[in-house]
Amino acid sequence: MALQLGKQASIDYKVEKKDLASNLNISVDDNFPEVFATARLIALMECSAAKILMPLLQDGEQSVGVNINITHMAATLENDVAIATATFVGMEGKLYKFEIEVVDSGGICGRGTHTRAIISTDRLIEGSKRRAEKSLR
């Protein structure tokens, strides 16, 4: 099944407390604001692109992100709705390329490009295990 250029998928997502940058503190020195975290914005963007690839997946396959280049342009507050829309823009070898834009109640808050691959889940996990075992030697 070939994917048609320009195919789009959107996800509407209500920003919750768990999505705020202030909840992503890793070290005691971190002091992030109470706005939609860039990491969560990226996750929303990835999920909108993955949604486009779902009909192409065979049993035992998943799509995974391999590259993302985004700009987080504006802050989104808790309880606002962020809407990510991915657009399929073409192939680069076996990689699927997307343009993604996110809007909230104030307008565009993020945009960028994203690349995904369709992979065998088992192969991915086995490769990860082999890689981890090598590092323990």
Side-chain angles (χ1 to χ4, degrees):
M1 174 181 191
L3 198 54
Q4 185 175 353
L5 287 176
K7 176 133 178 89
Q8 292 186 323
S10 294
I11 297 175
D12 296 24
Y13 185 78
K14 184 176 179 181
V15 176
E16 300 176 12
K17 188 166 191 69
K18 67 179 173 61
D19 302 310
L20 303 181
S22 56
N23 291 317
L24 299 180
N25 295 332
I26 292 176
S27 77
V28 295
D29 297 326
D30 292 337
N31 183 25
F32 298 125
E34 292 189 358
V35 296
F36 196 32
T38 301
R40 297 295 289 160
L41 175 81
I42 290 169
L44 179 60
M45 293 171 128
E46 284 203 61
C47 288
S48 66
K51 188 174 179 181
I52 293 173
L53 295 179
M54 285 180 182
L56 302 180
L57 301 177
Q58 304 288 320
D59 286 343
E61 289 183 333
Q62 291 180 281
S63 73
V64 295
V66 297
N67 181 279
I68 191 150
N69 182 6
I70 69 117
T71 302
H72 194 168
M73 302 157 59
T76 304
L77 296 172
E78 182 179 359
N79 295 318
D80 200 348
V81 174
I83 304 167
T85 302
T87 303
F88 175 64
V89 295
M91 300 291 297
E92 187 175 291
K94 293 183 177 184
L95 301 177
Y96 297 82
K97 313 259 319 160
F98 300 90
E99 291 178 354
I100 305 173
E101 186 171 88
V102 182
V103 298
D104 62 16
S105 63
I108 298 170
C109 59
R111 70 165 47 120
T113 59
H114 178 45
T115 306
R116 297 189 73 76
I118 293 178
I119 53 90
S120 159
T121 305
D122 289 343
R123 185 172 175 211
L124 176 72
I125 299 302
E126 289 306 314
S128 297
K129 288 177 183 176
R130 283 192 304 276
R131 187 171 168 271
E133 288 169 3
K134 279 185 183 177
S135 71
L136 296 176
R137 295 181 198 163

